[in-house]
């Protein structure tokens, strides 16, 4: 760790797999724990056709190989404390348009420049670790969209010495990650049960509340509203809950409520989703707000350059 920058030196890693995501592989290697890619490939066979990463598979793999994990809602102060203890944390951040979320390894911070440093997969020309610097204010805003969710993966003797602000909600958060795996495997009833158990363990877990809202929304159940609203009450920067509420109100033809929710989500992060603009354009057109609908369709194409329906949308823009 160096001087004012509070940086950790992590190994350069290029290999990853849906069941051994890069952040898990990097942090495991940092602790000199080698996770077999062959084994990860074998585990991934049950997820044939799935695109993306399954973090919980990587976490459970690392735990089987001797590491211990904690998943908590954290803070910027705690994040820095963990880095200063020599532990590289993994954070959950919003994804780029049409990718819901992504995990990133934080390698350090610079208080003088007010930046947070995150791991970049490729080394520089000398083969040395590269870091991406994110302005601290932007990082905290984006991280807050995910309830400042933090994953700590470390040897048990190190992790046991760390006092976490919200360490008690680890089990609840763990179940949230398990539920996502169950959803991918189409074990929907088990996923729902995991989320209900997560909320029972911690009624203030915004991650669990949002996911339970999404599950209920998927069943077209009005019950989703109370879970989304409770999540927003705890984390008023939950883009996903505002977007989920908007989707439910759109499905039930409550256009004014849908527009309000979509607008609040866009205010939180205007670049996170392209589809939200398309949805808002549809309901605005239904309310005879053609000029606003036209602007939304333009934004949809702006943030989704490879939109498969580009031709149809461009025609709609001309006709509005």
């Amino acid at each position: 760790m160096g001087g004012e920058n509070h940086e950790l030196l992590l190994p350069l890693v290029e290999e990853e797999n849906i069941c051994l995501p890069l952040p898990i592989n990097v942090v495991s290697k940092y602790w000199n724990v080698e996770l077999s890619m062959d084994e990860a490939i074998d585990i991934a066979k049950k997820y044939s056709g799935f695109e993306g990463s399954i973090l919980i598979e990587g976490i459970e793999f690392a735990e089987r190989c001797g590491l211990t994990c904690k998943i908590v809602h954290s803070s910027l102060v705690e994040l820095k404390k963990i880095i200063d203890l020599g532990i590289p944390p993994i954070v959950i951040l919003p994804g780029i348009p049409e990718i819901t979320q992504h995990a990133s390894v934080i390698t350090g911070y610079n208080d003088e420049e007010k930046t947070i440093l995150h791991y970049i997969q490729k080394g520089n020309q000398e083969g040395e670790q590269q870091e991406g610097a994110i302005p601290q204010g932007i990082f905290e805003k984006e991280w807050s969209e995910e309830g400042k969710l933090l994953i700590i993966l470390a040897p048990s003797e190190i992790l046991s010495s760390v006092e976490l602000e919200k360490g008690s909600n680890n089990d609840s958060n763990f179940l949230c990650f398990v539920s996502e795996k169950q959803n991918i495997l189409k074990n929907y009833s088990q996923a729902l049960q995991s989320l209900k158990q997560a909320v029972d363990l911690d009624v203030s877990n915004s991650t669990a509340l949002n996911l339970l809202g999404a599950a209920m929304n998927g069943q077209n159940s009005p019950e989703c509203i109370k879970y989304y609203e409770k999540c927003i009450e705890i984390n008023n920067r939950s883009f996903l809950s505002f977007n989920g509420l908007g989707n439910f109100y759109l499905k039930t033809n409550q256009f004014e409520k849908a527009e309000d929710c979509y607008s609040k989500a866009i205010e939180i992060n205007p670049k996170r989703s392209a589809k939200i603009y398309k949805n808002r354009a549809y309901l605005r057109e239904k309310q005879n707000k053609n000029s606003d609908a036209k602007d939304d369709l333009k934004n949809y194409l702006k943030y989704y350059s490879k939109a498969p329906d580009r031709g149809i949308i461009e025609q709609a823009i001309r006709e509005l």
Side-chain angles (χ1 to χ4, degrees):
M1 190 177 301
E4 292 297 315
N5 288 344
H6 305 275
E7 295 177 45
L8 300 174
L9 184 62
L10 273 64
L12 285 174
V13 177
E14 293 190 9
E15 281 191 313
E16 61 180 322
N17 173 275
I18 65 168
C19 291
L20 181 50
L22 185 75
I24 304 297
N25 206 7
V26 169
V27 174
S28 296
K29 286 182 184 294
Y30 173 82
W31 297 115
N32 295 315
V33 173
E34 291 290 330
L35 303 181
S36 166
M37 186 56 67
D38 287 341
E39 187 174 341
I41 291 169
D42 191 53
I43 296 168
K45 289 177 182 176
K46 62 183 175 182
Y47 299 103
S48 178
F50 176 75
E51 295 182 4
S53 296
I54 306 167
L55 269 175
I56 192 65
E57 285 286 7
I59 289 168
E60 290 176 335
F61 191 3
E63 288 187 319
R64 290 195 298 272
C65 293
L67 294 177
T68 302
C69 180
K70 290 282 187 183
I71 307 172
V72 297
H73 292 93
S74 190
S75 68
L76 193 60
V77 170
E78 185 170 70
L79 177 80
K80 291 178 178 180
K81 182 183 81 171
I82 289 165
I83 291 166
D84 288 340
L85 289 171
I87 302 170
I90 299 170
V91 298
I92 305 300
L93 296 171
I96 57 175
E98 309 326 309
I99 296 176
T100 305
Q101 297 161 320
H102 77 278
S104 181
V105 184
I106 302 302
T107 61
Y109 64 94
N110 187 317
D111 273 339
E112 187 176 326
E113 296 181 1
K114 295 193 181 308
T115 53
I116 302 296
L117 308 174
H118 70 101
Y119 182 88
I120 293 179
Q121 189 169 0
K122 302 289 184 182
N124 61 20
Q125 291 182 342
E126 288 73 40
E128 298 170 333
Q129 174 184 317
Q130 288 194 96
E131 294 161 329
I134 309 173
Q136 185 172 290
I138 292 174
F139 170 81
E140 192 161 20
K141 275 187 177 181
E142 292 189 350
W143 190 28
S144 68
E145 290 181 44
E146 307 306 323
K148 297 184 178 177
L149 205 55
L150 179 83
I151 300 168
I152 311 172
L153 196 61
S156 58
E157 63 272 16
I158 292 175
L159 195 51
S160 62
S161 66
V162 180
E163 290 188 19
L164 298 167
E165 294 170 3
K166 297 182 179 179
S168 61
N169 71 3
N170 170 69
D171 291 344
S172 179
N173 286 324
F174 196 86
L175 283 166
C176 292
F177 281 73
V178 168
S179 76
E180 291 182 296
K181 175 178 75 170
Q182 291 166 334
N183 268 325
I184 294 165
L185 292 170
K186 296 182 170 58
N187 296 329
Y188 301 122
S189 61
Q190 291 179 28
L192 187 60
Q193 190 58 40
S194 292
L195 291 174
K196 287 180 177 179
Q197 189 179 349
V199 172
D200 287 342
L201 286 171
D202 183 359
V203 294
S204 64
N205 185 339
S206 59
T207 301
L209 290 163
N210 172 67
L211 289 172
L212 189 50
M216 292 297 183
N217 199 352
Q219 297 177 359
N220 297 319
S221 169
E223 273 197 80
C224 71
I225 296 171
K226 70 177 181 182
Y227 293 115
Y228 283 138
E229 288 183 343
K230 181 63 176 176
C231 173
I232 291 165
E233 183 183 319
I234 295 162
N235 177 17
N236 63 7
R237 286 189 54 78
S238 177
F239 176 98
L240 294 176
S241 282
F242 278 118
N243 185 49
L245 267 176
N247 290 341
F248 179 77
Y249 288 134
L250 178 61
K251 287 190 294 185
T252 52
N253 296 320
Q254 299 179 69
F255 294 148
E256 288 186 9
K257 287 184 177 181
E259 182 178 3
D260 181 59
C261 291
Y262 284 147
S263 296
K264 285 176 179 175
I266 289 168
E267 186 179 342
I268 290 167
N269 189 338
K271 298 179 181 180
R272 180 160 183 175
S273 168
K275 187 178 179 181
I276 194 171
Y277 289 102
K278 183 179 174 181
N279 287 351
R280 192 171 68 170
Y282 169 80
L283 61 88
R284 281 179 161 177
E285 190 271 333
K286 289 290 184 182
Q287 297 176 89
N288 297 314
K289 299 178 180 179
N290 289 355
S291 178
D292 290 338
K294 187 174 183 177
D295 289 341
D296 276 344
L297 290 178
K298 287 179 179 178
N299 277 322
Y300 168 69
L301 294 180
K302 174 183 176 181
Y303 294 120
Y304 195 4
S305 59
K306 296 182 180 179
D309 55 353
R310 173 172 287 274
I312 296 170
I313 298 299
E314 287 175 340
Q315 179 65 29
I317 290 171
R318 287 191 291 270
E319 293 175 357
L320 281 170

